[in-house]
Amino acid sequence: MPIHEQSLIRPENLKTHDKLVLDGVDVSGHWSTFIEPRVVTDYNEALQEEIAALPGGEHIHRCWQCGSCTNSCTVNAVNPDFNPRFWIYLIRMGMESELLRDKDIIWQCVSCNKCTYACPRDVFPEGVMKATAHWLELQGHTPKSKSTLFDEEFTEQVMATGKIEEGRIIRGFFAKTGQALMQDWLVEMAKRLARRLPIKLGFLMGWATIFRPRTRGWSRAGEAIEEYVHEQQAKQRKALSLE
Amino acid sequence: MNSKPILVVGGGPAGLAAAHALASVGQRSIVVEKENRLGGAPILSGYAKLVPSGEWARDAIGGMVSRVEGNPLVEVRKGCRIEEFSGGPGDFTARLSDGSTVEAGAAILCTGFTHFDSVNKPEWGFGTFPDVVTTTQVEQMISTGKGIRCPSDGRKPQRVAILLCVGSRDRQIGREWCSKICCTVSCNIAMEIREELPDCHVYIYYMDIRTYGLNETYYWRSQEEFKVKYIKARIAEVTSDGQKLIVKGEDTLVKRPITIPFDMVVHAIGMDPNVDNKTLAPIFGVGLQEHGHIAKGSAYGALGETSRAGVFVAGAATGPETIDDSIAQGKAAAMAAFALVNQKTAVAA
């Protein structure tokens, strides 16, 4: 008999044993290959709550699986495996292991927000994708993405001084992502900049690099913002039972 | 007006509306009800809050009952059936089961429906496992104030499955119609469960969601405000592992079989033709349509016509119907019957 839904048989579910005897019957070798069942044996209601606790995921429970998000998706047009509709369903039913199979492509969302404007129920699928990528990082399923690391460096500087200094951000970002500071394009850019930069501006840049100026009266504002951010992070970690 | 009274058969929403409408234009009527109580299914089956008004059935339908029971133009005969019916338009005679005879100018059949009996779908566990219940039973849990509890041991369920289309849209058991109200009622019940037991998760297994017209609000609110989950699957069987009910089926959206434990399973039961239709039809000389409901004459010409002149029909007797539409049909049939028995001023249909 031909196997009609062959695509549903996953390689990792094919089990062959070199030496196995069950109830006295020898089931060793290729001729006794087993296929592990795909039966869903329980729902995990916590998964939807966890995603909903992260920014962007708040409205995931509204989804009625029409597929408007996937149909309008920029990334899906290039990679058919990128399917927001399907991931939203897996999250809502708590099929975590199924979701994790796609952990390395979920972050690919380009935030074009076409889905946001196509969704008839205001699920904000783009936000859900962001929340899901964030969830994968918090749970340790994926390493922090470069954009997350950039955001962190940026935020740290703002917290400390109330302003950013581009040279410092690039240095910090390169350090966090393990990239060499002396990159050809950067050296070239610095050389050309030095050739044409007015002396006063060059002096200010050097001064800012050494003395790290702060926004006047920043400390109290910075503390308040930092407290709020920590509160939010603690709330998210608690929702994900990471405390 | 000296015309003979109009016979109203059945004291549910349609019959109560017809009798009240007739009385409001000074027409006498006789309401014959086989049970010992007026009100029909909403009262006899102990419905809780009605869709779409949100009013308690005992208040909304109870009000209809009292305005009919206290009306001098309405004669109510409870605990009584009609055994013979003869004559023609304007001059019918009916013999009742208590031996009495009444004369009537016309008759309106408001004989309603019968709830589908879930034991006819044994694979879904009703009658085998006590925690498999029907929407009617859940309505009663709410309307009696006892709350949502597993019948087996009285515990509060933590996970409830509602199975739609039980006794509807199923050729295997000869029920090819949609019962029209069960989707909306199930959305409503799901919200009531979530309201009473916020920690209880409710899943609705559906083939299609038919919360038609403005009832769509129930579907939306149940998802958006009450986080009820909808899964596209027709369940194959309900079994038990000795502690929990096990619901088996295929989750069609992920193409995977499911074997999910539940504390309570609710059958959203459909509306069968009244089991009495096979005896009622020959007594009144009216035809039945293919599924066993009382056949309507004209769809657009005269409302409430049957295949016999002078005998009208309204409400769920003609097919699955909502309470508010049954009331409207009861009034429409009353209008048609009133015109018939007062032909001096009316143009014959």
Side-chain angles (χ1 to χ4, degrees):
Chain A
M1 198 178 77
I3 300 171
H4 292 285
E5 298 273 15
Q6 198 149 22
S7 64
L8 298 177
I9 301 173
R10 294 173 182 158
E12 69 267 27
N13 287 351
L14 291 173
K15 300 287 174 206
T16 306
H17 298 269
D18 291 337
K19 212 170 172 65
L20 182 67
V21 178
L22 285 180
D23 291 338
V25 181
D26 186 1
V27 288
S28 311
H30 179 71
W31 287 102
S32 298
T33 297
F34 294 91
I35 305 169
E36 285 206 340
R38 313 166 58 247
V39 179
V40 180
T41 53
D42 208 355
Y43 295 130
N44 169 17
E45 276 105 359
L47 189 56
Q48 170 175 290
E49 297 306 316
E50 290 185 10
I51 298 290
L54 301 177
E58 296 90 345
H59 299 298
I60 185 172
H61 64 277
R62 293 178 173 181
C63 178
W64 59 12
Q65 291 292 301
C66 68
S68 295
C69 48
T70 299
N71 292 334
S72 62
C73 180
T74 308
V75 183
N76 177 267
V78 185
N79 178 6
D81 288 339
F82 191 93
N83 189 337
R85 194 271 311 157
F86 182 59
W87 294 326
I88 288 173
Y89 192 75
L90 297 179
I91 292 165
R92 298 207 57 213
M93 296 309 135
M95 298 179 193
E96 193 171 330
S97 57
E98 190 80 20
L99 181 72
L100 291 179
R101 288 168 52 84
D102 290 332
K103 67 184 166 68
D104 295 322
I105 53 173
I106 288 172
W107 63 270
Q108 289 174 356
C109 170
V110 294
S111 294
C112 68
N113 275 302
K114 279 191 194 168
C115 52
T116 305
Y117 296 103
C119 178
R121 287 293 279 284
D122 277 351
V123 171
F124 299 107
E126 184 268 342
V128 175
M129 287 299 95
K130 211 175 268 173
T132 308
H134 189 183
W135 180 88
L136 288 167
E137 288 179 8
L138 286 172
Q139 294 285 15
H141 294 303
T142 52
K144 283 182 181 172
S145 69
K146 285 186 178 170
S147 79
T148 301
L149 292 169
F150 184 88
D151 288 349
E152 282 181 3
E153 178 62 30
F154 189 100
T155 312
E156 279 165 20
Q157 287 202 20
V158 173
M159 295 290 197
T161 62
K163 51 176 77 181
I164 54 158
E165 202 279 300
E166 287 88 344
R168 190 179 290 273
I169 286 195
I170 288 184
R171 288 206 309 278
F173 176 60
F174 280 0
K176 280 198 162 101
T177 51
Q179 300 182 68
L181 183 59
M182 291 299 158
Q183 302 200 22
D184 290 348
W185 65 271
L186 192 61
V187 172
E188 185 61 27
M189 193 178 85
K191 268 191 206 160
R192 292 192 198 180
L193 207 62
R195 225 178 291 151
R196 296 179 199 279
L197 201 67
I199 292 175
K200 191 186 170 195
L201 222 54
F203 170 76
L204 281 175
M205 275 178 71
W207 188 80
T209 309
I210 297 160
F211 293 104
R212 261 197 118 177
R214 292 163 63 92
T215 299
R216 201 171 300 154
W218 176 251
S219 57
R220 280 180 61 195
E223 275 166 25
I225 293 174
E226 204 168 343
E227 194 186 322
Y228 176 76
V229 169
H230 285 156
E231 240 171 50
Q232 294 303 310
Q233 285 173 340
K235 216 190 269 177
Q236 292 173 13
R237 295 182 65 80
K238 193 176 170 213
L240 270 56
S241 311
L242 294 170
E243 298 292 81
Chain B
M1 271 176 266
N2 298 316
S3 60
K4 289 179 179 173
I6 290 170
L7 183 65
V8 177
V9 188
L16 293 169
H20 177 256
L22 291 169
S24 67
V25 291
Q27 171 66 48
R28 287 183 300 135
S29 65
I30 303 169
V31 177
V32 178
E33 166 60 53
K34 69 177 175 189
E35 303 294 338
N36 290 313
R37 199 175 170 196
L38 293 184
I43 295 295
L44 297 170
S45 296
Y47 292 177
K49 285 181 191 159
L50 300 181
V51 168
S53 67
E55 288 175 62
W56 289 93
R58 57 176 166 267
D59 299 334
I61 309 300
M64 293 180 72
V65 171
S66 53
R67 74 180 180 185
V68 161
E69 285 197 316
N71 198 307
L73 291 174
V74 185
E75 183 187 342
V76 178
R77 308 282 289 266
K78 287 182 277 196
C80 204
R81 291 165 185 267
I82 289 165
E83 295 189 331
E84 271 175 43
F85 185 80
S86 56
D91 187 25
F92 289 111
T93 305
R95 193 169 61 77
L96 308 188
S97 55
D98 60 4
S100 65
T101 302
V102 294
E103 297 203 326
I108 306 173
L109 303 179
C110 303
T111 46
F113 69 101
T114 301
H115 287 109
F116 175 74
D117 187 346
S118 272
V119 296
N120 293 315
K121 283 301 276 185
E123 61 269 41
W124 290 335
F126 183 81
T128 309
F129 308 111
D131 292 339
V132 178
V133 298
T134 64
T135 37
T136 308
Q137 284 172 281
V138 175
E139 290 279 343
Q140 289 164 0
M141 290 180 195
I142 298 165
S143 66
T144 56
K146 286 177 187 156
I148 310 297
R149 301 290 181 273
C150 293
S152 63
D153 56 4
R155 74 181 189 281
K156 292 175 182 173
Q158 287 174 330
R159 202 187 264 169
V160 174
I162 301 178
L163 316 187
L164 295 186
C165 298
V166 178
S168 306
R169 306 173 74 204
D170 188 348
R171 187 164 279 157
Q172 298 303 326
I173 49 170
R175 282 151 175 97
E176 299 183 8
W177 57 87
C178 164
S179 291
K180 200 169 170 178
I181 50 96
C182 343
C183 282
T184 309
V185 166
S186 297
C187 294
N188 191 41
I189 281 179
M191 290 192 280
E192 302 240 30
I193 295 174
R194 292 279 290 158
E195 195 159 33
E196 192 206 326
L197 309 170
D199 296 329
C200 175
H201 296 273
V202 182
Y203 292 80
I204 293 183
Y205 290 92
Y206 69 96
M207 294 196 288
D208 302 278
I209 293 290
R210 297 184 167 189
T211 46
Y212 60 94
L214 299 184
N215 292 333
E216 183 75 355
T217 314
Y218 284 83
Y219 181 26
W220 286 51
R221 279 186 68 223
S222 68
Q223 274 195 319
E224 298 190 3
E225 286 177 41
F226 292 88
K227 299 191 175 177
V228 174
K229 290 178 181 168
Y230 290 77
I231 298 167
K232 192 165 170 63
R234 188 170 171 88
I235 292 311
E237 61 172 2
V238 177
T239 56
S240 171
D241 63 2
Q243 300 192 313
K244 296 225 173 192
L245 298 166
I246 305 293
V247 169
K248 290 185 185 173
E250 188 204 359
D251 188 321
T252 55
L253 287 178
V254 291
K255 289 208 244 180
R256 286 177 70 164
I258 48 175
T259 302
I260 303 292
F262 278 95
D263 296 303
M264 190 192 266
V265 170
V266 181
H267 287 191
I269 50 170
M271 299 167 90
D272 273 0
N274 193 322
V275 285
D276 292 336
N277 279 1
K278 288 237 166 69
T279 27
L280 280 171
I283 290 173
F284 285 94
V286 296
L288 299 179
Q289 50 87 282
E290 54 174 328
H291 300 312
H293 304 100
I294 294 172
K296 286 193 235 183
S298 151
Y300 307 108
L303 284 166
E305 273 185 342
T306 63
S307 57
R308 182 177 184 182
V311 179
F312 299 89
V313 64
T318 63
E321 200 49 272
T322 63
I323 292 172
D324 32 341
D325 284 346
S326 296
I327 289 168
Q329 289 175 17
K331 295 191 175 187
M335 178 71 201
F338 179 75
L340 180 84
V341 299
N342 295 281
Q343 274 189 355
K344 254 180 262 172
T345 51
V347 178

